[in-house]
Amino acid sequence: MQHNVRELADVPSVEVISRAAVMLMSSAAEKLGLSEQDPDNAENRDLDEARRLITALAGLVISSVEYLGPHAGAIRDGLQTLQRAFREASAEPDPPGQGPGEKYTGPVY
């Protein structure tokens, strides 16, 4: 246990935040079915789970953007891409400003 703590202590915070963001993005993409040829019929598609992951990602990005430096733009772009993909995947899209994470990021069209 102590060995793992020492290793984590050596990792810069920007890397920990970036890794967490990438994990959330990857999981949300899977839940949206984006890794499949036909996302609409993806076996793992779960929009409720995707909503939760995208909202968590938005909170992380907005609260840590000042620390992300050059990584901020790419992570923000990834978040917006997921938000748009969610809107497109929804049978009845949320009103602007009420989609996943939009309470943190503002409306995404």
Side-chain angles (χ1 to χ4, degrees), residues 20-34 44 46 49-50 53-54 82:
V22 168
M23 181 176 280
L24 288 166
M25 279 191 261
S26 298
S27 184
E30 288 291 328
K31 297 298 182 181
L32 288 170
L34 299 178
N44 294 326
D46 186 334
E49 287 288 307
L53 292 161
I54 294 167
L82 290 168

PDB file of all heavy atoms in Angstrom, residues 20-34 44 46 49-50 53-54 82:
ATOM      1  N   ALA A  20      -8.062  11.432 -15.245  1.00  0.00           N
ATOM      2  CA  ALA A  20      -9.457  11.286 -14.818  1.00  0.00           C
ATOM      3  C   ALA A  20     -10.403  11.767 -15.917  1.00  0.00           C
ATOM      4  O   ALA A  20     -11.417  11.124 -16.204  1.00  0.00           O
ATOM      5  CB  ALA A  20      -9.698  12.059 -13.520  1.00  0.00           C
ATOM      6  N   ALA A  21     -10.063  12.879 -16.552  1.00  0.00           N
ATOM      7  CA  ALA A  21     -10.897  13.410 -17.629  1.00  0.00           C
ATOM      8  C   ALA A  21     -10.947  12.434 -18.808  1.00  0.00           C
ATOM      9  O   ALA A  21     -12.023  12.186 -19.363  1.00  0.00           O
ATOM     10  CB  ALA A  21     -10.371  14.767 -18.087  1.00  0.00           C
ATOM     11  N   VAL A  22      -9.818  11.875 -19.164  1.00  0.00           N
ATOM     12  CA  VAL A  22      -9.775  10.925 -20.283  1.00  0.00           C
ATOM     13  C   VAL A  22     -10.589   9.677 -19.947  1.00  0.00           C
ATOM     14  O   VAL A  22     -11.319   9.148 -20.800  1.00  0.00           O
ATOM     15  CB  VAL A  22      -8.316  10.572 -20.655  1.00  0.00           C
ATOM     16  CG1 VAL A  22      -8.259   9.384 -21.609  1.00  0.00           C
ATOM     17  CG2 VAL A  22      -7.630  11.784 -21.268  1.00  0.00           C
ATOM     18  N   MET A  23     -10.525   9.222 -18.720  1.00  0.00           N
ATOM     19  CA  MET A  23     -11.303   8.053 -18.324  1.00  0.00           C
ATOM     20  C   MET A  23     -12.803   8.355 -18.416  1.00  0.00           C
ATOM     21  O   MET A  23     -13.582   7.541 -18.942  1.00  0.00           O
ATOM     22  CB  MET A  23     -10.949   7.609 -16.905  1.00  0.00           C
ATOM     23  CG  MET A  23     -11.733   6.374 -16.464  1.00  0.00           C
ATOM     24  SD  MET A  23     -11.236   5.775 -14.850  1.00  0.00           S
ATOM     25  CE  MET A  23      -9.771   4.884 -15.315  1.00  0.00           C
ATOM     26  N   LEU A  24     -13.217   9.518 -17.935  1.00  0.00           N
ATOM     27  CA  LEU A  24     -14.624   9.908 -18.029  1.00  0.00           C
ATOM     28  C   LEU A  24     -15.058  10.042 -19.487  1.00  0.00           C
ATOM     29  O   LEU A  24     -16.147   9.601 -19.864  1.00  0.00           O
ATOM     30  CB  LEU A  24     -14.870  11.214 -17.274  1.00  0.00           C
ATOM     31  CG  LEU A  24     -14.823  11.124 -15.753  1.00  0.00           C
ATOM     32  CD1 LEU A  24     -14.735  12.516 -15.135  1.00  0.00           C
ATOM     33  CD2 LEU A  24     -16.031  10.372 -15.225  1.00  0.00           C
ATOM     34  N   MET A  25     -14.214  10.651 -20.326  1.00  0.00           N
ATOM     35  CA  MET A  25     -14.538  10.799 -21.744  1.00  0.00           C
ATOM     36  C   MET A  25     -14.679   9.442 -22.421  1.00  0.00           C
ATOM     37  O   MET A  25     -15.628   9.219 -23.183  1.00  0.00           O
ATOM     38  CB  MET A  25     -13.452  11.605 -22.465  1.00  0.00           C
ATOM     39  CG  MET A  25     -13.589  13.080 -22.303  1.00  0.00           C
ATOM     40  SD  MET A  25     -12.487  13.963 -23.426  1.00  0.00           S
ATOM     41  CE  MET A  25     -11.166  14.344 -22.320  1.00  0.00           C
ATOM     42  N   SER A  26     -13.756   8.562 -22.151  1.00  0.00           N
ATOM     43  CA  SER A  26     -13.781   7.235 -22.779  1.00  0.00           C
ATOM     44  C   SER A  26     -15.019   6.455 -22.363  1.00  0.00           C
ATOM     45  O   SER A  26     -15.686   5.831 -23.201  1.00  0.00           O
ATOM     46  CB  SER A  26     -12.526   6.444 -22.404  1.00  0.00           C
ATOM     47  OG  SER A  26     -11.374   7.089 -22.875  1.00  0.00           O
ATOM     48  N   SER A  27     -15.337   6.503 -21.092  1.00  0.00           N
ATOM     49  CA  SER A  27     -16.506   5.785 -20.605  1.00  0.00           C
ATOM     50  C   SER A  27     -17.788   6.371 -21.191  1.00  0.00           C
ATOM     51  O   SER A  27     -18.688   5.635 -21.606  1.00  0.00           O
ATOM     52  CB  SER A  27     -16.541   5.828 -19.074  1.00  0.00           C
ATOM     53  OG  SER A  27     -17.617   5.065 -18.587  1.00  0.00           O
ATOM     54  N   ALA A  28     -17.885   7.694 -21.250  1.00  0.00           N
ATOM     55  CA  ALA A  28     -19.071   8.337 -21.827  1.00  0.00           C
ATOM     56  C   ALA A  28     -19.213   7.970 -23.302  1.00  0.00           C
ATOM     57  O   ALA A  28     -20.323   7.682 -23.781  1.00  0.00           O
ATOM     58  CB  ALA A  28     -18.992   9.851 -21.657  1.00  0.00           C
ATOM     59  N   ALA A  29     -18.110   7.948 -24.037  1.00  0.00           N
ATOM     60  CA  ALA A  29     -18.149   7.578 -25.449  1.00  0.00           C
ATOM     61  C   ALA A  29     -18.656   6.145 -25.618  1.00  0.00           C
ATOM     62  O   ALA A  29     -19.460   5.862 -26.514  1.00  0.00           O
ATOM     63  CB  ALA A  29     -16.770   7.741 -26.081  1.00  0.00           C
ATOM     64  N   GLU A  30     -18.210   5.253 -24.759  1.00  0.00           N
ATOM     65  CA  GLU A  30     -18.691   3.868 -24.806  1.00  0.00           C
ATOM     66  C   GLU A  30     -20.188   3.805 -24.528  1.00  0.00           C
ATOM     67  O   GLU A  30     -20.921   3.099 -25.213  1.00  0.00           O
ATOM     68  CB  GLU A  30     -17.943   2.999 -23.782  1.00  0.00           C
ATOM     69  CG  GLU A  30     -16.520   2.696 -24.149  1.00  0.00           C
ATOM     70  CD  GLU A  30     -16.400   1.753 -25.340  1.00  0.00           C
ATOM     71  OE1 GLU A  30     -17.276   0.875 -25.523  1.00  0.00           O
ATOM     72  OE2 GLU A  30     -15.429   1.903 -26.092  1.00  0.00           O
ATOM     73  N   LYS A  31     -20.639   4.547 -23.519  1.00  0.00           N
ATOM     74  CA  LYS A  31     -22.063   4.544 -23.166  1.00  0.00           C
ATOM     75  C   LYS A  31     -22.921   5.187 -24.242  1.00  0.00           C
ATOM     76  O   LYS A  31     -24.110   4.897 -24.352  1.00  0.00           O
ATOM     77  CB  LYS A  31     -22.296   5.240 -21.818  1.00  0.00           C
ATOM     78  CG  LYS A  31     -21.632   4.566 -20.643  1.00  0.00           C
ATOM     79  CD  LYS A  31     -22.159   3.166 -20.432  1.00  0.00           C
ATOM     80  CE  LYS A  31     -21.519   2.527 -19.216  1.00  0.00           C
ATOM     81  NZ  LYS A  31     -21.992   1.166 -18.991  1.00  0.00           N
ATOM     82  N   LEU A  32     -22.329   6.059 -25.065  1.00  0.00           N
ATOM     83  CA  LEU A  32     -23.045   6.643 -26.195  1.00  0.00           C
ATOM     84  C   LEU A  32     -23.004   5.730 -27.427  1.00  0.00           C
ATOM     85  O   LEU A  32     -23.653   5.998 -28.427  1.00  0.00           O
ATOM     86  CB  LEU A  32     -22.447   8.010 -26.559  1.00  0.00           C
ATOM     87  CG  LEU A  32     -22.728   9.133 -25.576  1.00  0.00           C
ATOM     88  CD1 LEU A  32     -21.885  10.357 -25.912  1.00  0.00           C
ATOM     89  CD2 LEU A  32     -24.214   9.490 -25.571  1.00  0.00           C
ATOM     90  N   GLY A  33     -22.208   4.660 -27.343  1.00  0.00           N
ATOM     91  CA  GLY A  33     -22.086   3.725 -28.460  1.00  0.00           C
ATOM     92  C   GLY A  33     -21.166   4.204 -29.553  1.00  0.00           C
ATOM     93  O   GLY A  33     -21.181   3.669 -30.666  1.00  0.00           O
ATOM     94  N   LEU A  34     -20.330   5.199 -29.263  1.00  0.00           N
ATOM     95  CA  LEU A  34     -19.497   5.802 -30.298  1.00  0.00           C
ATOM     96  C   LEU A  34     -18.372   4.905 -30.806  1.00  0.00           C
ATOM     97  O   LEU A  34     -17.788   5.187 -31.848  1.00  0.00           O
ATOM     98  CB  LEU A  34     -18.926   7.132 -29.799  1.00  0.00           C
ATOM     99  CG  LEU A  34     -19.964   8.195 -29.452  1.00  0.00           C
ATOM    100  CD1 LEU A  34     -19.285   9.451 -28.929  1.00  0.00           C
ATOM    101  CD2 LEU A  34     -20.846   8.507 -30.650  1.00  0.00           C
ATOM    102  N   ASN A  44     -23.783  -1.702 -25.662  1.00  0.00           N
ATOM    103  CA  ASN A  44     -23.482  -1.032 -24.391  1.00  0.00           C
ATOM    104  C   ASN A  44     -24.094   0.361 -24.266  1.00  0.00           C
ATOM    105  O   ASN A  44     -23.802   1.071 -23.310  1.00  0.00           O
ATOM    106  CB  ASN A  44     -21.970  -0.920 -24.207  1.00  0.00           C
ATOM    107  CG  ASN A  44     -21.322  -2.267 -24.049  1.00  0.00           C
ATOM    108  OD1 ASN A  44     -21.895  -3.177 -23.473  1.00  0.00           O
ATOM    109  ND2 ASN A  44     -20.129  -2.412 -24.592  1.00  0.00           N
ATOM    110  N   ASP A  46     -26.127   3.343 -23.236  1.00  0.00           N
ATOM    111  CA  ASP A  46     -26.917   3.650 -22.046  1.00  0.00           C
ATOM    112  C   ASP A  46     -26.850   5.158 -21.840  1.00  0.00           C
ATOM    113  O   ASP A  46     -25.890   5.681 -21.259  1.00  0.00           O
ATOM    114  CB  ASP A  46     -26.360   2.906 -20.843  1.00  0.00           C
ATOM    115  CG  ASP A  46     -27.203   3.051 -19.590  1.00  0.00           C
ATOM    116  OD1 ASP A  46     -27.933   4.072 -19.462  1.00  0.00           O
ATOM    117  OD2 ASP A  46     -27.124   2.170 -18.718  1.00  0.00           O
ATOM    118  N   GLU A  49     -26.498   6.535 -18.203  1.00  0.00           N
ATOM    119  CA  GLU A  49     -25.117   6.452 -17.705  1.00  0.00           C
ATOM    120  C   GLU A  49     -24.237   7.497 -18.383  1.00  0.00           C
ATOM    121  O   GLU A  49     -23.398   8.129 -17.730  1.00  0.00           O
ATOM    122  CB  GLU A  49     -24.553   5.045 -17.945  1.00  0.00           C
ATOM    123  CG  GLU A  49     -25.131   3.997 -17.034  1.00  0.00           C
ATOM    124  CD  GLU A  49     -24.636   4.125 -15.610  1.00  0.00           C
ATOM    125  OE1 GLU A  49     -23.403   4.173 -15.404  1.00  0.00           O
ATOM    126  OE2 GLU A  49     -25.469   4.167 -14.693  1.00  0.00           O
ATOM    127  N   ALA A  50     -24.417   7.690 -19.675  1.00  0.00           N
ATOM    128  CA  ALA A  50     -23.632   8.687 -20.412  1.00  0.00           C
ATOM    129  C   ALA A  50     -23.883  10.082 -19.838  1.00  0.00           C
ATOM    130  O   ALA A  50     -22.950  10.866 -19.677  1.00  0.00           O
ATOM    131  CB  ALA A  50     -23.980   8.653 -21.903  1.00  0.00           C
ATOM    132  N   LEU A  53     -21.846  10.528 -16.660  1.00  0.00           N
ATOM    133  CA  LEU A  53     -20.415  10.656 -16.933  1.00  0.00           C
ATOM    134  C   LEU A  53     -20.072  12.010 -17.548  1.00  0.00           C
ATOM    135  O   LEU A  53     -19.072  12.629 -17.182  1.00  0.00           O
ATOM    136  CB  LEU A  53     -19.958   9.514 -17.848  1.00  0.00           C
ATOM    137  CG  LEU A  53     -19.989   8.129 -17.216  1.00  0.00           C
ATOM    138  CD1 LEU A  53     -19.968   7.057 -18.282  1.00  0.00           C
ATOM    139  CD2 LEU A  53     -18.848   7.966 -16.236  1.00  0.00           C
ATOM    140  N   ILE A  54     -20.898  12.475 -18.469  1.00  0.00           N
ATOM    141  CA  ILE A  54     -20.646  13.767 -19.106  1.00  0.00           C
ATOM    142  C   ILE A  54     -20.791  14.896 -18.099  1.00  0.00           C
ATOM    143  O   ILE A  54     -19.992  15.838 -18.086  1.00  0.00           O
ATOM    144  CB  ILE A  54     -21.585  13.967 -20.315  1.00  0.00           C
ATOM    145  CG1 ILE A  54     -21.250  12.944 -21.410  1.00  0.00           C
ATOM    146  CG2 ILE A  54     -21.474  15.386 -20.854  1.00  0.00           C
ATOM    147  CD1 ILE A  54     -22.297  12.843 -22.519  1.00  0.00           C
ATOM    148  N   LEU A  82     -18.815  15.241 -26.810  1.00  0.00           N
ATOM    149  CA  LEU A  82     -19.687  14.286 -26.128  1.00  0.00           C
ATOM    150  C   LEU A  82     -21.069  14.889 -25.873  1.00  0.00           C
ATOM    151  O   LEU A  82     -22.089  14.204 -26.018  1.00  0.00           O
ATOM    152  CB  LEU A  82     -19.048  13.827 -24.815  1.00  0.00           C
ATOM    153  CG  LEU A  82     -17.825  12.934 -24.963  1.00  0.00           C
ATOM    154  CD1 LEU A  82     -17.107  12.783 -23.633  1.00  0.00           C
ATOM    155  CD2 LEU A  82     -18.220  11.575 -25.526  1.00  0.00           C
TER     156      LEU A  82
END
